[in-house]
Amino acid sequence: MGEEVWIIDALRSPRGRGRPGAGALSNVHPQELFAQVLKHLASRSGVRIGDVDDVVVGCVSQVNEQGACIARHSVLAAGWPEQVPGVTINRFCGSGLQAVNFGMMGIRSKEQHLVVAGGVESMSRVPIGSDGGGVDGNNPWLRAQVMQVPQGISADLIATLEGFSRTDVDAFAAASQQRAEIAQKIGAFDRSIVPIRDPNDNTVLLERDEHPRAGTTVQTLAKLSPAFAELGSKRLGPHGETVDAIALKRYPSVKQINHVHTAGNSSGIVDGAAAVLLASKEYAEAHGLCPRARILATATLGSEPVIMLSAPSSTSKKALARLGMKPQDIDVWEINEAFAVVPLQVMQTLGLDHAQVNVHGGAIAFGHPLGATGAMLINTALDVLEERDLSTALVTLCIGGGMGIATIIERMS
């Protein structure tokens, strides 16, 4: 099994609306955003920063201000010792959790003893798609073999295949917003969130998540138009096929895609950063570090690339199998709400009770800062386990290109 890996602490920024010049964090350089989380992590944990073997950071759009290895430059921006290295990784929406899992692997192999892992994404300053790669890297040879489609089309196709109606996805989205509203009122994230300040004058810019919309109901969501119907009707195929027709080539039994996802039942565009401090049991005990949890198992898995978003259930099964566990053995589930259909499908496939899933809301309410979300979900899972005196949590995300990622943690202190 290797070295036991402990989660010493986890912190995150609030999520600011990803609107250029309008979101509360939109004027903060993404390096500075992650650097502020690093500073708080060092201060609260009391860890010897010079002992950190690596800082592993998930970031999806690694161009412009998020280019040039944002991990390394955020370390320097935080004023950490020069000997602390950094590396930036991209597994699309799973990047922040993959950073944590890579950190775990380094420690479990005994090559490392102290790792900071997390993610950052400023979607207001570096918009999604800024790297120009499209859905498949613009490779015509790959496209001839696997004609992928935008994620919104995949989400609507999954809903069609699984029989989820517009009412189903809107009901889930309304619950996400309502749970988020309650969570903010009771201070459910107070232990995890650190305030983000203006780097110029040190004034506090944001202390709580900015994206949730209090008072959201199924009735208000029902007024929104489908977000991907127009995209689905565009003719982009090599022979003039519509985007919907391209997707349906893989699923000829489906006659028509039912476009059910809207801006209200899909994840929000936001800015944010998160960091998780990992240590070997040996290092933590030698330096008096008190763990909050341990990582039990991780898994990644590829899935069908046209439908793209369906892997969390099978990836979760893979992680559970490594421990001889069943879905019902997990107390808390954090399933990223890239689109409402993703957690709905996982709950249906694995027989999960919604009362155990995203208990404080998810990305529909709070937003999905791409590279940071996986690490943020580790934060949330820790908060819920401690708040409710529970034991185990499973965090999972769907990933572009047809992949899934999962991590199982167990509360300790």
Side-chain angles (χ1 to χ4, degrees):
M1 191 67 176
E3 182 70 59
E4 190 165 306
V5 182
W6 288 359
I7 298 176
I8 305 303
D9 207 356
L11 292 174
R12 69 172 178 89
S13 74
R15 281 163 281 203
R17 290 176 183 161
R19 297 178 181 174
L25 302 180
S26 62
N27 292 323
V28 180
H29 193 289
Q31 292 177 6
E32 297 296 328
L33 180 57
F34 190 68
Q36 289 193 39
V37 177
L38 290 179
K39 289 177 182 178
H40 281 284
L41 188 67
S43 175
R44 191 167 87 170
S45 68
V47 72
R48 289 165 49 176
I49 297 304
D51 288 351
V52 172
D53 291 301
D54 209 352
V55 177
V56 187
V57 177
C59 184
V60 174
S61 298
Q62 295 182 35
V63 295
N64 303 323
E65 292 181 343
Q66 291 180 171
C69 190
I70 193 171
R72 170 58 175 169
H73 289 97
S74 296
V75 167
L76 296 176
W80 282 18
E82 292 178 354
Q83 70 262 29
V84 178
V87 61
T88 311
I89 65 169
N90 178 14
R91 199 191 285 274
F92 300 132
C93 298
S95 299
L97 190 58
Q98 186 63 69
V100 173
N101 292 357
F102 277 158
M104 179 278 295
M105 294 174 193
I107 293 171
R108 184 163 284 178
S109 70
K110 300 187 178 182
E111 291 293 325
Q112 298 172 322
H113 290 285
L114 190 66
V115 175
V116 173
V120 61
E121 204 84 33
S122 178
M123 299 181 76
S124 60
R125 298 174 73 95
V126 188
I128 187 170
S130 291
D131 63 0
V135 297
D136 57 8
N138 300 314
N139 180 355
W141 294 275
L142 172 63
R143 198 166 294 166
Q145 301 172 60
V146 182
M147 191 68 176
Q148 297 178 58
V149 295
Q151 288 191 2
I153 303 298
S154 295
D156 285 341
L157 177 54
I158 293 171
T160 304
L161 289 166
E162 298 286 351
F164 292 117
S165 68
R166 171 68 184 269
T167 301
D168 293 331
V169 292
D170 278 351
F172 184 89
S176 180
Q177 292 282 3
Q178 291 157 9
R179 290 178 176 191
E181 184 177 355
I182 294 170
Q184 288 192 312
K185 286 180 178 177
I186 67 174
F189 308 118
D190 287 354
R191 182 170 184 180
S192 288
I193 293 181
V194 297
I196 298 300
R197 297 177 177 272
D198 188 317
N200 296 310
D201 60 19
N202 204 39
T203 57
V204 174
L205 297 174
L206 192 62
E207 295 183 287
R208 59 182 307 198
D209 294 303
E210 188 180 28
H211 190 269
R213 293 170 174 81
T216 297
T217 65
V218 174
Q219 290 72 32
T220 59
L221 291 173
K223 297 176 182 178
L224 300 175
S225 299
F228 307 106
E230 184 177 350
L231 174 61
S233 66
K234 286 188 175 180
R235 296 189 178 277
L236 298 178
H239 305 294
E241 307 100 322
T242 65
V243 176
D244 278 0
I246 293 168
L248 292 177
K249 280 187 176 181
R250 192 71 180 259
Y251 298 91
S253 63
V254 178
K255 302 304 179 184
Q256 181 178 342
I257 295 177
N258 184 19
H259 291 286
V260 298
H261 286 92
T262 69
N265 56 41
S266 306
S267 57
I269 294 173
V270 293
D271 306 330
V276 180
L277 179 62
L278 304 173
S280 65
K281 176 182 178 182
E282 177 185 0
Y283 181 93
E285 290 180 338
H287 294 84
L289 300 178
C290 182
R292 295 176 66 185
R294 60 168 62 91
I295 297 178
L296 298 182
T298 70
T300 52
L301 195 66
S303 65
E304 199 275 282
V306 174
I307 209 165
M308 194 180 303
L309 310 171
S310 60
S313 55
S314 54
T315 310
S316 297
K317 287 181 181 179
K318 183 178 179 180
L320 289 164
R322 289 176 171 170
L323 302 171
M325 297 175 72
K326 298 178 181 178
Q328 289 66 36
D329 296 326
I330 297 295
D331 297 318
V332 173
W333 289 75
E334 286 295 328
I335 306 168
N336 188 39
E337 297 173 2
F339 301 91
V341 75
V342 176
L344 282 171
Q345 185 192 43
V346 177
M347 289 191 294
Q348 179 170 275
T349 302
L350 301 184
L352 306 181
D353 187 336
H354 193 188
Q356 296 174 285
V357 176
N358 300 359
V359 300
H360 289 324
I364 290 171
F366 292 109
H368 174 23
L370 302 184
T373 301
M376 287 189 168
L377 293 183
I378 290 288
N379 275 260
T380 302
L382 285 170
D383 288 339
V384 175
L385 290 177
E386 291 166 351
E387 169 199 327
R388 303 191 176 194
D389 192 24
L390 298 172
S391 178
T392 56
L394 191 151
V395 175
T396 185
L397 301 92
C398 60
I399 301 172
M403 293 184 285
I405 187 168
T407 301
I408 301 173
I409 65 172
E410 179 182 49
R411 182 172 66 93
M412 293 178 66
S413 61

